[in-house]
Amino acid sequence: MLFSKLKSTSFPKSLDISLRFSSIFRSNFHFYLNFFLFFLISGSFPSFLVASPKEVFPSSVQVPDVYQSEQILLIIGKPGETQGKLHFFSVEGGEWKTILSSIPVWFGKSGLIQKEKKREGDGFTPKGDFPIKRVLGKGNQSIRNLEYIKIRKNDHWSDVTTSKHYNQFIRQKEKGATPLWNSAIYELLIVIEHNTNPSIPGFGSMIFLHPWAETKPTSGCVGIKLTDLESIIQRLDGKKNPYFLLIESEDQI
């Protein structure tokens, strides 16, 4: 889980923070998330912050699954820009470790937008939190505890808003659907589970972390070098409840 046993260790004195912040955490998940990310990125993550969410939040509060993750793919972009950075964090031996840091990525031509506002064809990449469940690829891959779908010649993904298969992977040809076999950007990909369960027509489809050799924005996916994507997939473990976090920052990346 994102947090393990809560210890009595105090916050760093230089921050002048006490466990009184726990009352804020219970009422403000966004504050909690930002607080967690601050320590995660800075590399000075306090040991007591690896506590179970159940020990920080009262039983009456439903804790989102993202807070129980042991692997985070954090993708950060600045408002209005189409390039960002990816950081991969994983709990190893009971402690958060940085697996990859500051990997360049490309966003859609319109930049980032809150996932609830994403619409088909708008050129935005949705921001928010998304569970990592599926990897698709054309070759043999060693995937740990995640669904792996090997792409075949007739495989498509529908981005047709009037289709009953909208934003679904389909093993057949369909008018208007996007073929996956002949495109290099679908050589290997991780599905960013935006608008997949349920799939609402028109609210965005085919959002992936996929290979990108171009020096320009994508149509809405997150583009990354194939070698970096392969490194990520080799370390992903479904038992660690991995998550994407796509966020926007005003700060220098």
Side-chain angles (χ1 to χ4, degrees):
M1 289 186 300
L2 185 63
F3 307 96
S4 63
K5 189 175 180 181
L6 180 63
K7 299 180 180 180
S8 60
T9 310
S10 61
F11 285 86
K13 293 182 179 179
S14 60
L15 295 177
D16 192 26
I17 302 173
S18 76
L19 289 178
R20 288 176 295 176
F21 270 88
S22 62
S23 62
I24 300 175
F25 296 162
R26 295 185 183 111
S27 61
N28 194 325
F29 283 115
H30 291 292
F31 180 91
Y32 192 36
L33 176 59
N34 290 337
F35 189 78
F36 160 66
L37 293 176
F38 168 79
F39 284 108
L40 200 60
I41 296 172
S42 69
S44 57
F45 205 75
S47 58
F48 71 86
L49 279 184
V50 228
S52 165
K54 294 180 180 179
E55 297 182 62
V56 178
F57 293 96
S59 58
S60 60
V61 174
Q62 184 176 358
V63 181
D65 287 343
V66 64
Y67 296 118
Q68 302 182 58
S69 174
E70 288 186 335
Q71 285 189 331
I72 296 289
L73 284 180
L74 175 65
I75 302 172
I76 307 175
K78 291 193 287 187
E81 297 198 1
T82 56
Q83 289 181 271
K85 296 291 178 65
L86 178 147
H87 309 268
F88 184 8
F89 303 101
S90 180
V91 173
E92 307 289 339
E95 296 183 358
W96 281 100
K97 302 291 184 181
T98 300
I99 306 302
L100 295 170
S101 180
S102 299
I103 302 300
V105 295
W106 285 92
F107 303 128
K109 60 185 178 182
S110 301
L112 295 175
I113 195 170
Q114 191 62 32
K115 59 184 179 181
E116 292 82 7
K117 297 180 180 180
K118 168 68 182 172
R119 296 295 182 268
E120 188 68 41
D122 61 6
F124 281 106
T125 298
K127 61 181 180 178
D129 58 278
F130 307 93
I132 297 175
K133 298 179 178 180
R134 295 180 284 175
V135 177
L136 280 72
K138 296 174 185 175
N140 295 320
Q141 297 287 334
S142 179
I143 307 295
R144 291 190 292 173
N145 307 303
L146 290 167
E147 181 181 3
Y148 180 64
I149 300 172
K150 192 169 182 179
I151 297 173
R152 303 195 297 240
K153 287 187 177 181
N154 286 328
D155 291 346
H156 288 65
W157 199 292
S158 177
D159 53 355
V160 180
T161 57
T162 55
S163 170
K164 66 178 181 180
H165 299 127
Y166 177 68
N167 201 23
Q168 294 179 33
F169 170 79
I170 49 177
R171 289 207 180 271
Q172 63 192 46
K173 293 182 179 180
E174 182 181 85
K175 185 177 180 180
T178 300
L180 302 179
W181 180 255
N182 294 325
S183 176
I185 66 173
Y186 304 130
E187 180 72 25
L188 182 65
L189 61 91
I190 306 173
V191 179
I192 298 176
E193 302 285 349
H194 168 74
N195 193 35
T196 57
N197 186 26
S199 176
I200 303 173
F203 277 63
S205 63
M206 298 188 66
I207 308 298
F208 309 132
L209 178 67
H210 66 56
W212 193 244
E214 307 283 347
T215 55
K216 62 182 181 180
T218 70
S219 297
C221 292
V222 179
I224 188 172
K225 287 183 179 180
L226 176 59
T227 53
D228 291 327
L229 179 58
E230 289 172 335
S231 296
I232 290 169
I233 288 174
Q234 288 170 5
R235 298 297 296 270
L236 280 177
D237 186 350
K239 287 186 177 180
K240 293 189 175 185
N241 189 30
Y243 257 79
F244 282 108
L245 283 180
L246 279 82
I247 65 173
E248 208 172 59
S249 172
E250 297 280 356
D251 300 327
Q252 183 67 35
I253 301 172

